């Protein structure tokens, strides 16, 4: 019997092999069992180490026996580590194979659906249909352009003449505004003072009297 048969309880040659999901589940259960065994051995190793330390000077025989058991446990632990690595690798490979199988199955299903959808389609008929759609779209656009085109009922105007007339109206409005500004009343300006400006005061009084003279001159101008 093969290793897989031993692990998964497979029968003889005529027996049906386990499904990928069943095999993955079995591997996970085995991993959990070995992990618990690891934890147990690690505790036993620690216990034997403490016994050896405790009896190292008092009872050498007991200490040596504890160290021997510790070595056996460490050997078992190393074997379990290797087994777990192998099982983990096998489980990951099986999971990837199962995923690929599902992907291929779904791709095949999609391919069949696409083939069924295209079964009654003729590429020549599709080309003819697309050509008819294009022609109808072009016709619809021509109709829309014709409807949206403004209709003057025979009234045609020269755009240049209209622009020239608009310029004339703007110029007349501008001339009218200028004439109204020119004909308005003049703004009265202040009268020129009749008295002459005061003579320049002496140098020592210049700073004090200058401001008073300017104020008086401004009052007379008003």
């Amino acid at each position: 019997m093969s290793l897989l048969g031993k692990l998964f309880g497979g029968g003889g040659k005529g027996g049906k092999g386990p499904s990928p999901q069943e095999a993955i589940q079995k591997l996970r259960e085995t991993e959990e069992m070995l992990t618990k065994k690891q934890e147990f051995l690690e505790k036993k190793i620690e216990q034997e180490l403490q016994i050896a330390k405790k009896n190292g000077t008092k009872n050498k025989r007991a200490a040596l026996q504890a160290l021997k058991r510790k070595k056996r446990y460490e050997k078992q632990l190393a074997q379990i580590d290797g087994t777990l690595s192998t099982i983990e690798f096998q489980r990951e490979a099986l999971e990837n194979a199962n995923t690929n199988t599902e992907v291929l199955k779904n791709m095949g299903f999609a391919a069949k659906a696409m083939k069924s959808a295209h079964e009654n389609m003729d590429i020549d008929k599709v080309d003819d249909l697309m050509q008819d759609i294009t022609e109808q779209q072009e016709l619809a656009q021509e109709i829309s352009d014709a409807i949206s085109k403004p209709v003057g009922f025979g009234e045609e105007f020269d755009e240049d003449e209209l622009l020239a007339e608009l310029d004339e109206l703007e110029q007349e409005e501008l001339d009218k505004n200028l004439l109204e500004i020119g004909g308005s009343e003049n703004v009265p300006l202040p009268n020129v003072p009749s008295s002459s400006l005061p003579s320049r005061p002496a140098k020592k009084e210049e700073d004090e009297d200058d401001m008073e003279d300017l104020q008086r001159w401004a009052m007379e101008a008003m």
Side-chain angles (χ1 to χ4, degrees):
M1 185 180 294
S2 64
L3 176 60
L4 288 177
K6 294 179 180 179
L7 285 175
F8 308 127
K13 295 183 179 179
K16 184 180 180 182
S19 66
Q21 292 81 3
E22 293 174 347
I24 292 171
Q25 182 62 31
K26 287 289 185 179
L27 288 173
R28 287 176 177 171
E29 292 175 358
T30 304
E31 285 183 273
E32 292 177 1
M33 178 187 67
L34 292 177
T35 301
K36 292 180 180 179
K37 184 66 175 178
Q38 271 185 326
E39 296 173 354
F40 172 78
L41 290 174
E42 289 172 352
K43 291 179 181 179
K44 295 296 291 184
I45 291 171
E46 183 63 26
Q47 290 175 1
E48 298 301 335
L49 181 61
Q50 294 300 325
I51 293 173
K53 289 180 179 180
K54 183 178 179 181
N55 298 291
T57 56
K58 298 178 182 179
N59 189 345
K60 185 176 291 186
R61 182 181 179 83
L64 290 174
Q65 292 296 327
L67 290 177
K68 289 180 180 180
R69 290 191 296 270
K70 173 179 170 292
K71 290 294 183 181
R72 289 199 303 270
Y73 294 148
E74 287 177 345
K75 184 177 181 180
Q76 294 179 33
L77 185 61
Q79 291 175 346
I80 290 176
D81 289 339
T83 303
L84 277 174
S85 297
T86 303
I87 290 177
E88 183 178 359
F89 174 79
Q90 188 179 21
R91 176 179 54 80
E92 291 176 353
L94 190 56
E95 288 175 345
N96 290 334
N98 185 45
T99 300
N100 294 334
T101 300
E102 292 297 325
V103 170
L104 290 175
K105 185 187 298 183
N106 293 332
M107 291 177 65
F109 181 78
K112 291 180 181 179
M114 185 176 295
K115 182 178 180 180
S116 177
H118 294 160
E119 186 175 0
N120 297 324
M121 289 187 181
D122 186 354
I123 187 63
D124 295 332
K125 293 181 179 179
V126 173
D127 290 338
D128 295 339
L129 177 61
M130 295 306 298
Q131 185 176 358
D132 291 341
I133 293 175
T134 302
E135 293 176 356
Q136 293 302 319
Q137 288 178 342
E138 293 176 354
L139 178 60
Q141 184 63 41
E142 292 177 358
I143 294 174
S144 298
D145 294 340
I147 293 175
S148 61
K149 184 177 180 180
V151 179
F153 297 101
E155 296 181 1
E156 295 182 358
F157 302 97
D158 189 348
E159 186 173 356
D160 293 336
E161 293 181 0
L162 294 176
L163 291 175
E165 184 176 355
L166 180 60
D167 292 339
E168 291 178 0
L169 293 175
E170 292 178 351
Q171 186 63 40
E172 290 178 1
E173 185 68 19
L174 181 61
D175 295 341
K176 181 179 178 181
N177 292 335
L178 292 175
L179 290 175
E180 290 179 354
I181 294 173
S184 60
E185 296 182 357
N186 294 329
V187 179
L189 300 174
N191 297 325
V192 179
S194 58
S195 61
S196 61
L197 294 174
S199 59
R200 185 173 182 177
K203 184 173 183 59
K204 63 181 181 179
E205 298 178 353
E206 179 179 359
D207 294 336
E208 297 178 358
D209 298 337
D210 186 50
M211 184 60 69
E212 295 180 359
D213 293 337
L214 289 175
Q215 292 177 350
R216 184 173 60 254
W217 176 78
M219 291 295 293
E220 290 178 358
M222 293 177 61

